[in-house]
Amino acid sequence: MLKQLYFFLVCLLWTTVNASRFDVEHALVLYDPELLPLNDTSSLTPEVAQFIEYLSDKFDVKISDYNSEDINLFFDDYPRYEHLVLFPSSKKTITSKEALSLHNLLRFINENSNIFVVGGSQSVLPDGLRRFLNELGVFPSPKNYKYIDHFNSKNGVVQLNRDNVVEGNRLVEELSVTKYDGNAALISNNELIFPIVRSSATGYTNKVGEPIDADKTWTFGEQGYLAVGFEALNNARLVWVGSNSLLAEPQLYKWCFQQQGKLKLQFVEHIKADEPSKPNPHLYRIKDQAIYTIGVSEFVDGKWIPFEVKDEKDQLQLSFKMLDPYQRLNLKPLGPVSAISNSTELDTYAYFVNFTVPDHHGMFTFELDYKRPGLSYLVDKRVVTVRHLANDEFKRSWDISNSWLYVASAVFVIIAWFVFVVSYIYIGKSNYSKKNV
């Protein structure tokens, strides 16, 4: 009996400990001790020290050398970490090249995990990581290529300003760092990539100590970027920065680690206007009045708050479509509401639209597809059937105003025929007896 009780207590303790561990997200930090001695915190720059402290506070962090042999991003086909941080390396070939291969990094992103990559002018990217970034559409400059701007420099160090911030990005509005010592990258036209910090019109990326050459210079003017964001269709995120100095912008890594710009659909509901007590019906009739309602929340400072659209270009839209949209409508704001019934906490913002179901029967879809750079994507699809009118649901002729002329014409013809018959029989009949006399 005591053995059974002891076994039960051990199992309970093991379950409790593992349950608490599952609530904590895990992060893996890889570095090169020749470039960045993370094991010696006293020698770290304030930006790197702040970044490592943030990681330690938020996640269960494992810090490892690129040449460590026990690096593995997966365990039993599942990611071991939710977040991966890659600092600069001094060598293209590393011991853990199999773990950081193109295939494994793509698989890591496809499993909803996030990657933060830090570049530098005196460093290189491991081969697998460089191919991975190129696959996404980010092309960092090679080793010993440095971002230079003679018109915005002080004592040989590039000075960043407000003009370097890409207008319209949701991550950084004003740079808190001014000095920049790093490289730049080119980007493709991939729709999932968005620039955050760009080169100035007078900046370029070139090999240190060599003159500008059309064949060797990596970037010219505003075609170069110092910080780039990428968000996959499954909302996994990646950020590349060209220097440690940009770690002074916490919005960059907060966004990458899903602590900022994260949206959630709290509820989705559609009803017939004449049957509000029956939500989400599977069958509609042509020309029914439908009401579509959603609730959207944003994750800010560790909690969900209402997400209010304040810009006209960021409006949420509903598409009611078969193959092509028959209706595409902007959702109207209702105001803050609670995502949980009988709760007083206003943690979501409600939006709605009221529209008439098209005069076309078939299989239709309520589709919400909201994609904005810097915000997690919202996608929701609800398939319903739209039927035509039944035989006993059509309007009768007297209910249709356009038919009144034809009904009146028929009645007039009947009356005229009756008058004609009566007049023919009884009116104006000849007296044949008098004619025969």
Side-chain angles (χ1 to χ4, degrees), residues 25-28 59 81-85 108 114 256-258:
E25 295 184 355
H26 301 78
L28 173 63
F59 314 117
Y81 309 96
E82 285 79 16
H83 312 291
L84 176 63
V85 178
F108 191 73
N114 310 296
C256 182
F257 301 142
Q258 306 281 346

Side-chain angles (χ1 to χ4, degrees), residues 126-179:
D127 287 335
L129 177 57
R130 176 173 288 277
R131 289 198 296 269
F132 167 68
L133 291 175
N134 294 166
E135 184 79 13
L136 300 184
V138 182
F139 304 91
S141 59
K143 185 178 181 180
N144 294 326
Y145 274 67
K146 187 176 182 180
Y147 173 67
I148 303 170
D149 187 353
H150 296 296
F151 292 87
N152 294 286
S153 297
K154 186 176 181 181
N155 298 325
V157 179
V158 175
Q159 304 291 308
L160 301 180
N161 53 51
R162 180 65 181 84
D163 295 335
N164 293 104
V165 178
V166 177
E167 185 178 357
N169 86 87
R170 303 173 191 274
L171 277 64
V172 178
E173 296 182 357
E174 192 78 30
L175 287 171
S176 59
V177 62
T178 56
K179 297 180 179 180

